[in-house]
């Protein structure tokens, strides 16, 4: 029930988070900037904006469970390098947003009740295109958005 702009705000930090659960934040649930963080189990329910927002850093997520994020499940921007082993996003506007020279590698992505499976674009002109690689995903009933200079590779086994 955090009324703060960011329920958890990590800035210029290095380390790991074994377990993090957030429920009913008014705005972003997690905001991390200029950091190198390894998240093991992360569960977020009912976020008033983005469930996870990371920028200018290196972030690894083992298991992400993101439910009812008003805007984005995870927003990745400003030259971030992100690896995600498993992510589940439900009832959000955008599942995964990659922007502004960021590179993202997702192994397994499960999506339900979300309008956009993923979006890859340049938001700020001082940055370049983004790269998104997904090994397995099910977003057959959701839209996707990609600017022409973004690099997206989806390699489903089926």
């Amino acid at each position: 029930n955090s009324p703060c702009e960011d329920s958890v705000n990590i800035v210029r930090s290095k380390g790991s988070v074994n377990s993090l659960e957030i429920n009913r934040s008014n705005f972003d649930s997690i905001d991390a900037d200029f950091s190198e963080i390894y998240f093991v189990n992360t569960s977020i329910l009912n976020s008033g904006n983005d469930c996870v927002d990371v920028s200018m850093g290196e972030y690894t997520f083992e298991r992400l469970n993101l439910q009812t994020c008003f805007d984005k499940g995870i927003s990745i921007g400003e030259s971030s390098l992100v690896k995600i082993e498993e992510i589940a996003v439900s009832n959000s506007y955008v599942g995964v947003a990659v922007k502004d020279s960021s590179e993202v590698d997702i192994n397994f992505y499960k999506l339900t009740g979300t309008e956009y499976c993923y979006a890859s674009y340049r938001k700020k002109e001082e940055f370049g295109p983004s790269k998104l690689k997904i090994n397995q995903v099910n977003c057959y009933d959701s839209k996707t958005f990609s600017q022409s200079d973004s690099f997206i590779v989806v390699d489903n086994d089926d």
Side-chain angles (χ1 to χ4, degrees):
N1 291 318
S2 174
C4 300
E5 181 180 345
D6 304 317
S7 290
V8 173
N9 191 354
I10 301 169
V11 181
R12 291 179 181 80
S13 298
K14 184 175 183 177
S16 63
V17 178
N18 285 331
S19 181
L20 179 58
E21 294 181 28
I22 299 173
N23 191 4
R24 292 187 301 272
S25 58
N26 285 346
F27 301 98
D28 289 351
S29 292
I30 298 173
D31 190 314
D33 303 298
F34 308 101
S35 296
E36 185 178 328
I37 307 293
Y38 181 86
F39 294 90
V40 179
N41 290 305
T42 304
S43 181
I44 298 173
L45 306 170
N46 304 307
S47 184
N49 195 36
D50 298 337
C51 279
V52 178
D53 184 352
V54 298
S55 63
M56 292 279 188
E58 294 184 27
Y59 306 94
T60 300
F61 297 89
E62 282 296 318
R63 284 170 296 287
L64 268 171
N65 180 19
L66 311 175
Q67 297 179 31
T68 314
C69 314
F70 181 77
D71 193 10
K72 299 171 194 80
I74 185 166
S75 176
I76 301 157
E78 298 180 355
S79 300
S80 288
L81 297 174
V82 174
K83 291 185 184 212
I84 302 171
E85 184 61 31
E86 297 176 21
I87 181 172
V89 180
S90 62
N91 303 318
S92 301
Y93 183 64
V94 177
V96 175
V98 182
K99 53 192 185 281
D100 298 334
S101 302
S102 294
E103 295 185 23
V104 179
D105 189 349
I106 299 173
N107 187 43
F108 180 77
Y109 179 18
K110 181 180 177 185
L111 183 82
T112 56
T114 298
E115 187 157 342
Y116 284 88
C117 180
Y118 57 77
S120 183
Y121 53 95
R122 186 182 321 188
K123 184 176 177 182
K124 300 177 180 175
E125 64 181 57
E126 63 267 26
F127 291 97
S130 298
K131 298 175 184 174
L132 172 62
K133 181 181 184 290
I134 304 173
N135 289 330
Q136 284 187 302
V137 64
N138 67 337
C139 59
Y140 306 113
D141 296 330
S142 297
K143 302 175 202 173
T144 61
F145 174 77
S146 173
Q147 280 184 330
S148 60
D149 61 349
S150 293
F151 300 94
I152 297 173
V153 176
V154 177
D155 186 20
N156 275 345
D157 289 339
D158 54 357

